[in-house]
């Protein structure tokens, strides 16, 4: 018989949970049980890989200490890893005994949380141990407390050895209906490899750097093909141009998302528009892409964009209104 102990406390000397675990391990080993202990505080970076250790075990002990509130971060991280990477079919055959000692309020709630979590994972919870212990010496000097620990260890051994059945829990029904994690269609071997990668900080950092590099690459490609396209908006200006006899003006339109300025030169019936630069334009305009889209689609005029503050101008303000007379953009689509 194989039993694993997962200890989620901080490993301090006077932790009452450690005393209980040592006593239970001693009794189980006398019963010829192979006991393996995992101190989660010593395995911070490899906790995501620990569900792999459930493979060859018949039962486990989840032990933690309530020092201020709840089961603690290490134990929660281990349970999260079981949910994300654990083999649920294997977990369904594993008995779990919760052990929670408290130096403050909340040991019963923490014990219940461990049992509930294991049920949701599909496992088989056993009757555990919980108690408020102010001083570890209280456990060592009290024969009745020692007898309780001994009986709990023997009951765990008996339960596993006889494969005692238990009634189904409503937690399983809830899991099947609303708490089923998204399927990743991974084999158990692939799941193990994934959990190893998650625990490898250097691998995670490399992946983040690769993602950032790809993001910058595609952003640059979009800038070249979209934002800095030297044809964008030119067709709209040419299509909706309405020449004014005897009117000449040069407009320089700076669109925030573009590197080059949109130059619109009107010489009577002739129109030139391109991306580049012009010396001493009659009117300089500055706006963002969203505002320009509103204008060329006919939902906003240059004058209204200026009045609302969405567009800034510099130069001869008298010819600002001529933009709306020269380019009668209609609603597209």
């Amino acid at each position: 018989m194989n039993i694993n102990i997962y200890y989620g406390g901080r490993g301090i000397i006077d932790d009452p949970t450690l005393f209980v675990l040592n006593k239970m391990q001693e009794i189980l080993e006398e019963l010829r049980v192979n006991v393996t202990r995992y101190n989660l505080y010593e395995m911070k970076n490899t906790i995501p890989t620990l569900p792999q250790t459930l493979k060859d075990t018949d039962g486990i002990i989840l032990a933690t200490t309530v020092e201020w509130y709840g089961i603690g971060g290490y134990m929660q991280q281990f349970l999260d890893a079981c949910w994300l990477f654990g083999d649920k079919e294997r977990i369904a055959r594993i008995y779990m005994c919760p052990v929670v000692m408290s130096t403050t309020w909340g040991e019963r709630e923490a014990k219940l949380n461990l049992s509930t979590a294991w049920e949701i994972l599909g496992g088989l919870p056993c009757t555990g141990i919980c108690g408020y212990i102010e001083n570890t010496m209280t456990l060592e000097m009290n024969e009745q407390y020692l007898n309780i620990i001994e009986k709990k260890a023997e009951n765990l051994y008996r339960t596993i050895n006889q494969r005692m059945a238990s009634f189904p829990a409503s937690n399983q029904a809830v899991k099947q209906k609303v708490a089923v994690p998204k399927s990743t269609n991974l084999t158990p071997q692939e799941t193990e490899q994934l959990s190893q990668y998650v625990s490898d900080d250097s691998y995670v950092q490399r992946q983040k750097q690769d993602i950032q590099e790809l993001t910058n690459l595609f952003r640059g490609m979009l800038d070249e093909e979209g934002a800095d396209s030297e044809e964008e908006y030119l067709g709209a200006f040419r299509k909706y141009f309405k020449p004014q006899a005897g009117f000449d003006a040069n407009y320089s339109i700076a669109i925030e998302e573009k590197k080059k300025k949109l130059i619109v030169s009107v010489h009577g019936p002739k129109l030139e528009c391109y991306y580049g630069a012009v010396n001493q334009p009659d009117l300089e305009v500055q706006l963002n892409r969203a505002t320009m889209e509103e204008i060329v689609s006919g939902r906003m005029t240059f004058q209204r964009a200026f009045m609302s503050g969405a567009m800034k101008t510099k130069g001869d303000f008298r010819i600002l209104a001529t933009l709306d007379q020269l380019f009668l953009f209609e609603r597209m689509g």
Side-chain angles (χ1 to χ4, degrees):
M1 181 185 298
N2 298 316
I3 293 180
N4 290 351
I5 297 175
Y6 299 91
Y7 168 65
R10 293 187 298 133
I12 56 178
I13 296 176
D14 58 345
D15 187 343
T17 303
L18 285 176
F19 178 85
V20 174
L21 290 180
N22 291 336
K23 191 65 178 176
M24 292 185 71
Q25 183 170 349
E26 178 185 336
I27 296 167
L28 289 171
E29 288 176 345
E30 290 177 359
L31 296 170
R32 298 184 180 180
V33 175
N34 182 26
V35 180
T36 305
R37 185 185 300 192
Y38 298 91
N39 294 323
L40 302 184
Y41 69 91
E42 296 176 344
M43 313 175 73
K44 300 177 184 178
N45 295 329
T46 57
I47 289 178
T49 68
L50 288 181
Q52 300 174 38
T53 62
L54 298 173
K55 278 185 177 181
D56 303 320
T57 187
D58 302 294
I60 66 171
I61 297 174
L62 295 183
T64 190
T65 305
V66 179
E67 295 186 85
W68 75 282
Y69 182 78
I71 63 176
Y74 297 138
M75 182 57 69
Q76 184 64 59
Q77 191 176 350
F78 171 70
L79 291 171
D80 288 344
C82 290
W83 175 255
L84 294 171
F85 307 118
D87 183 348
K88 303 302 188 301
E89 294 183 4
R90 184 70 190 90
I91 291 176
R93 300 191 296 272
I94 299 176
Y95 290 88
M96 187 279 293
C97 175
V99 174
V100 180
M101 294 291 111
S102 171
T103 57
T104 181
W105 176 88
E107 70 281 355
R108 294 182 183 276
E109 288 72 14
K111 174 175 168 287
L112 177 61
N113 287 342
L114 291 177
S115 297
T116 301
W118 197 248
E119 284 182 335
I120 293 177
L121 286 168
L124 304 167
C126 304
T127 303
I129 306 175
C130 70
Y132 168 75
I133 303 297
E134 187 175 1
N135 191 326
T136 307
M137 292 296 295
T138 306
L139 288 172
E140 297 177 4
M141 304 301 294
N142 192 308
E143 288 294 331
Q144 292 181 329
Y145 292 164
L146 295 175
N147 187 53
I148 292 174
I149 298 172
E150 182 178 350
K151 293 298 182 184
K152 290 294 182 180
E154 292 174 353
N155 286 340
L156 175 60
Y157 173 82
R158 190 177 301 110
T159 299
I160 297 174
N161 189 50
Q162 298 178 5
R163 302 301 301 178
M164 291 185 178
S166 60
F167 283 108
S170 60
N171 293 328
Q172 286 298 299
V174 172
K175 170 192 169 186
Q176 294 169 3
K177 292 180 181 178
V178 299
V180 178
K182 293 181 179 179
S183 175
T184 54
N185 296 321
L186 299 177
T187 65
Q189 293 77 13
E190 291 171 332
T191 300
E192 290 179 16
Q193 293 174 355
L194 178 60
S195 64
Q196 290 174 345
Y197 290 142
V198 169
S199 66
D200 187 342
D201 289 339
S202 61
Y203 175 82
V204 173
Q205 290 301 321
R206 288 197 302 272
Q207 292 301 302
K208 288 182 178 179
Q209 292 174 1
D210 291 344
I211 291 173
Q212 185 61 44
E213 290 177 3
L214 286 173
T215 300
N216 294 336
L217 173 63
F218 284 114
R219 183 181 291 120
M221 293 171 62
L222 288 173
D223 286 343
E224 293 176 3
E225 296 178 5
D228 284 330
S229 171
E230 296 192 358
E231 293 298 322
E232 191 175 19
Y233 303 128
L234 300 186
F237 274 88
R238 291 165 182 158
K239 179 178 180 180
Y240 295 103
F241 175 56
K242 302 297 179 182
Q244 303 289 320
F247 180 81
D248 295 336
N250 290 324
Y251 302 92
S252 176
I253 303 174
I255 303 172
E256 291 179 5
E257 290 82 356
K258 287 183 171 292
K259 296 178 181 179
K260 296 182 180 180
K261 295 180 181 179
L262 172 58
I263 306 302
V264 178
S265 296
V266 178
H267 304 286
K270 296 182 179 180
L271 170 68
E272 290 183 57
C273 50
Y274 55 90
Y275 284 96
V278 64
N279 293 326
Q280 297 181 343
D282 297 293
L283 186 69
E284 295 181 50
V285 175
Q286 183 178 355
L287 72 175
N288 58 29
R289 174 185 290 274
T291 303
M292 178 60 83
E293 291 287 345
E294 290 287 306
I295 293 173
V296 299
S297 63
R299 294 191 292 268
M300 182 181 290
T301 63
F302 284 103
Q303 185 72 29
R304 189 143 52 93
F306 172 73
M307 296 300 293
S308 66
M311 184 179 80
K312 299 178 182 179
T313 60
K314 179 182 177 182
D316 189 350
F317 292 98
R318 292 175 299 177
I319 64 172
L320 173 61
T322 58
L323 276 172
D324 293 320
Q325 297 171 6
L326 291 167
F327 302 99
L328 302 178
F329 295 108
E330 298 175 0
R331 191 178 301 274
M332 298 181 181

